[in-house]
Amino acid sequence: MYVDFHIHTTYSDGGKSFTQILDECIQKNIKCISITDHNTYESCKLKIQQEKVKIINGMEIDVKYKKYLFHMLLYNFDLNSKLLKEFYVKNRKHEIYNFNKNINILKKTHNITIDKNIKRKFIKENNYFDRVRLNNLLVESGYCKTPQDAFHKYTKKLDNTKRMSISMETLFKIASDSNAIVSFAHPFRYGISMDEIERVILELKEKYGLRVIEAINNHQTVYQEKKLIKFCEENDLLISAGSDSHYKLGMTPTEFVGSVHGKKICERNITFLKLLKK
């Protein structure tokens, strides 16, 4: 059975909608997925009536740990969790605050004034507020014809909106409150040596009970993947896997849904599924 537990949609920084991703999975015969948008679980709220693809609740969260900023994957959580809902509300406020901050910068630097009703409607209809969304708002407000024009004329020098991050302790409190599974996402993407990655993972295992590592991901080489799998096997850690597909707008895709390093993600290569089935 083919699976993929790390996929992004237009609910965060992906270029394809949830429905488009689902259609692609059906075409590729991918039977089980998790949509892991950044700091949001909007896709998990959708009531899609279909039986071809099993969908596991998922989210990718920015987490500060000592001097590092890691991405941690949260799976199979209960949407009724109080701490999860509090995180969602706090993150949305953070996103909107930074979005308005950039709009105010454009007002000062380029004399751009966004109609309040247009902005209110735009915020209500969106869930993620990066520079791509700001470009879209400028087009909607009549300042540019295309998002590309908006980028080159107005937003190129703006800092792209930084996502909210939480502490590792807070993450595992949310995981406990929502009965979720935590996986350490793409360990080699942070520019840290293998020795340091191993030290951090073992520390998180001892301190917080971390059990799952995303050893199979497109942001690691085949060599690094093999080393991680061996490390997991030697330290009683389970393995998750995901394409980390984004399909970013205006960019040629390099990570495709359902595959890592050009090969389909097969269920038999993943061990954390034991936890999902409990």
Side-chain angles (χ1 to χ4, degrees), residues 122-150:
F122 189 87
I123 288 175
K124 185 178 180 180
E125 293 176 348
N126 283 271
N127 185 67
Y128 192 75
F129 300 96
D130 57 357
R131 188 161 48 199
V132 172
R133 267 61 172 197
L134 185 53
N135 292 336
N136 291 341
L137 178 59
L138 290 172
V139 171
E140 193 171 320
S141 299
Y143 283 96
C144 303
K145 291 184 178 180
T146 67
Q148 290 78 11
D149 288 340

Side-chain angles (χ1 to χ4, degrees), residues 11 22 34 46 68 82 86 134-135 142 148 190 278:
Y11 280 120
L22 187 59
S34 183
L46 299 177
Y68 303 118
K82 179 183 176 182
E86 288 176 356
L134 185 53
N135 292 336
Q148 290 78 11
Y190 312 105
K278 285 185 178 180

Side-chain angles (χ1 to χ4, degrees), residues 173-199:
K173 283 182 179 178
I174 293 171
S176 177
D177 190 65
S178 62
N179 295 315
I181 300 163
V182 176
S183 176
F184 192 114
H186 41 58
F188 279 103
R189 198 176 182 183
Y190 312 105
I192 305 172
S193 68
M194 181 65 185
D195 287 343
E196 180 66 358
I197 283 293
E198 290 179 354
R199 185 194 69 77

Side-chain angles (χ1 to χ4, degrees), residues 4 24 28 218 243-245 247 253-260:
D4 191 341
E24 183 175 350
K28 291 182 175 180
N218 276 304
S243 64
D244 205 355
S245 171
Y247 294 118
T254 54
E255 297 89 27
F256 296 91
V257 167
S259 64
V260 172

